[in-house]
């Protein structure tokens, strides 16, 4: 009976309610601008990848997947946060909370594995350039992307019910702006060490193993780049990988902090801003990080806009 009551009521997302009203309005408009940029930037990447034949390559196929994940991240949490920041009501339905939790766990797991796949793609491009298209053929790219999506969704199918099934003894105030697993674990009134232990155990194949694969890939890439004789060749190889290295650093620095210590009460305030960073700021930055120095994407953009290619060359220089 208690479980039925807990699964039928609403949750209250405290979010940033400790901020003064002026601070709340600043947060609202700032986050609204970032959300608009995130949606526009990632939607543009997906659109260009679909319509321009020059972007029908493995690198842009995986980038398109990353942009789709970033859209899922932001759209599953930020609109609800904006509603709560603007109005007096801070509630979210039980089902809405379940959807947010499922989306966060799925997308987080998928992105960890996808970033390792993208690192492997860069490894092949730099270390085996003559065999790149042979190795990274379309069937392999589809299998790698499918593996990332299925693994992340399977992780969420396992962890979401376990997290929501924890008894809360009537506690329904979540000290966060989103129904994220660490925040839900904190309002439980039972021993959560078994669930936290399972979270840590699953983080090994989903978070740490992909990170290790990324580090190994970039170890080989760095060794290959150092053997390149010409400065221009080294610069070109570095440009090939620099965008991905920045995205990996931004994503993993926050995800490891949040999910390798899910019940750490001392990290609640930092956790809110870290979550805001990786579900809003990082998805906003990713399209710019990947496109600012990428002539193919800029060329596709100018083509869609009907501009002359010489303008692209001038900007590239």
């Amino acid at each position: 009976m208690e479980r039925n009551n807990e699964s039928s009521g609403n949750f209250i997302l405290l979010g940033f309610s400790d901020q003064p009203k002026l601070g709340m309005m600043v947060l609202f408009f700032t986050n609204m601008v970032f959300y608009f940029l995130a949606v526009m930037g990632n939607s543009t990447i997906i659109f260009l990848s679909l319509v321009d034949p020059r972007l029908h390559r493995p690198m842009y196929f995986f980038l398109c997947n990353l942009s789709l994940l970033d859209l899922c991240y932001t759209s599953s949490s930020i609109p609800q946060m904006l509603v709560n920041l603007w109005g007096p009501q801070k509630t979210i339905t039980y089902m809405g909370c379940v959807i947010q939790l499922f989306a966060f766990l799925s997308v987080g797991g998928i992105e960890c594995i996808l970033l390792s796949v993208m690192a492997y793609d860069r490894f092949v491009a730099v270390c085996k350039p003559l065999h790149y298209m042979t190795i990274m053929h379309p069937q392999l790219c589809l299998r790698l992307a499918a593996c990332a999506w299925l693994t992340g969704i399977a992780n969420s199918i396992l962890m979401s019910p376990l997290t929501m099934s924890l008894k809360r003894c009537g506690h329904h105030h979540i000290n966060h702006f989103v129904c994220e697993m660490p925040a839900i674990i904190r309002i439980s009134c039972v021993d959560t060490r078994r669930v936290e232990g399972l979270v840590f155990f699953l983080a090994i194949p989903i978070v740490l193993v992909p990170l290790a694969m990324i580090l190994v890939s970039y170890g080989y890439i760095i060794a290959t780049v150092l053997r390149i004789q010409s400065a221009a060749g080294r610069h070109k190889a570095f440009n090939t990988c620099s965008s991905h290295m920045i995205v990996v650093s931004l994503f993993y620095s926050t995800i490891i902090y949040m999910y390798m210590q899910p019940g750490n009460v001392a990290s609640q305030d930092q956790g809110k801003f870290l979550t805001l960073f990786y579900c809003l700021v990082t998805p906003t930055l990713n399209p710019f990080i990947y496109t600012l120095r990428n002539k193919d994407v800029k060329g596709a953009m100018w083509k869609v806009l009907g501009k002359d290619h010489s303008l692209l060359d001038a900007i590239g220089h």
Side-chain angles (χ1 to χ4, degrees):
M1 185 70 179
E2 181 183 1
R3 180 65 49 84
N4 291 336
N5 289 336
E6 290 190 345
S7 63
S8 60
N10 295 339
F11 289 100
I12 297 176
L13 296 172
L14 298 179
F16 303 98
S17 56
D18 55 340
Q19 297 289 326
K21 187 172 182 179
L22 178 60
M24 297 279 278
M25 289 299 99
V26 171
L27 274 173
F28 174 84
F29 286 108
T30 301
N31 291 331
M32 185 171 64
V33 170
F34 269 92
Y35 179 61
F36 173 79
L37 292 175
V39 171
M40 290 300 297
N42 287 288
S43 298
T44 300
I45 293 289
I46 295 172
F47 173 73
L48 293 177
S49 298
L50 293 174
V51 300
D52 196 301
R54 289 171 299 179
L55 303 185
H56 294 173
R57 293 188 296 181
M59 173 183 174
Y60 301 108
F61 170 72
F62 296 128
L63 179 57
C64 186
N65 275 264
L66 181 64
S67 293
L68 179 58
L69 289 174
D70 285 340
L71 284 176
C72 293
Y73 250 146
T74 54
S75 298
S76 65
S77 59
I78 300 305
Q80 177 71 51
M81 184 190 70
L82 292 175
V83 170
N84 289 351
L85 282 173
W86 182 260
Q89 298 296 324
K90 313 294 181 186
T91 59
I92 182 173
T93 65
Y94 179 86
M95 187 52 62
C97 193
V98 170
I99 292 172
Q100 279 193 346
L101 176 64
F102 185 86
F104 261 63
L105 289 174
S106 297
V107 174
I110 296 167
E111 189 156 342
C112 285
I113 299 171
L114 184 65
L115 288 174
S116 70
V117 170
M118 294 174 75
Y120 175 72
D121 174 71
R122 295 300 83 206
F123 158 75
V124 177
V126 173
C127 301
K128 301 179 183 294
L130 298 179
H131 304 285
Y132 178 71
M133 294 309 298
T134 303
I135 296 174
M136 300 302 297
H137 54 83
Q139 291 82 4
L140 178 63
C141 294
L142 286 171
R143 291 192 196 105
L144 291 173
C147 178
W149 282 84
L150 292 175
T151 303
I153 292 172
N155 172 62
S156 187
I157 289 174
L158 174 62
M159 289 308 306
S160 296
L162 282 177
T163 303
M164 296 305 296
S165 66
L166 291 171
K167 291 185 178 180
R168 295 178 291 274
C169 303
H171 299 158
H172 57 279
H173 288 72
I174 299 176
N175 190 16
H176 215 301
F177 66 86
V178 65
C179 289
E180 195 177 39
M181 183 172 61
I184 296 174
I185 288 177
R186 291 189 193 106
I187 66 172
S188 174
C189 61
V190 296
D191 188 355
T192 61
R193 283 178 295 181
R194 188 169 65 176
V195 173
E196 292 178 43
L198 181 59
V199 172
F200 188 88
F201 176 76
L202 290 176
I204 295 174
I206 293 178
V207 179
L208 297 184
V209 170
L211 178 59
M213 294 173 64
I214 291 171
L215 296 176
V216 170
S217 296
Y218 276 103
Y220 279 106
I221 289 172
I222 292 170
T224 301
V225 170
L226 292 177
R227 289 197 297 268
I228 298 176
Q229 298 298 320
S230 68
R234 288 195 297 270
H235 182 71
K236 182 179 180 181
F238 177 76
N239 280 344
T240 301
C241 306
S242 58
S243 299
H244 184 256
M245 292 169 65
I246 294 170
V247 171
V248 167
S249 301
L250 290 173
F251 179 77
Y252 267 97
S253 59
T254 52
I255 207 78
I256 289 177
Y257 183 88
M258 291 297 297
Y259 285 95
M260 297 304 284
Q261 48 175 0
N264 187 357
V265 177
S267 67
Q268 287 188 31
D269 291 334
Q270 301 97 314
K272 292 179 189 178
F273 288 98
L274 283 174
T275 303
L276 188 61
F277 186 83
Y278 74 71
C279 76
L280 181 59
V281 178
T282 301
T284 303
L285 294 177
N286 283 353
F288 296 98
I289 292 171
Y290 275 108
T291 59
L292 284 178
R293 302 172 71 180
N294 190 303
K295 289 187 177 181
D296 290 333
V297 176
K298 288 191 290 186
M301 175 68 77
W302 286 116
K303 182 179 178 182
V304 169
L305 296 176
K307 302 294 183 179
D308 189 84
H309 259 273
S310 61
L311 294 177
L312 171 63
D313 295 333
I315 291 175
H317 293 296

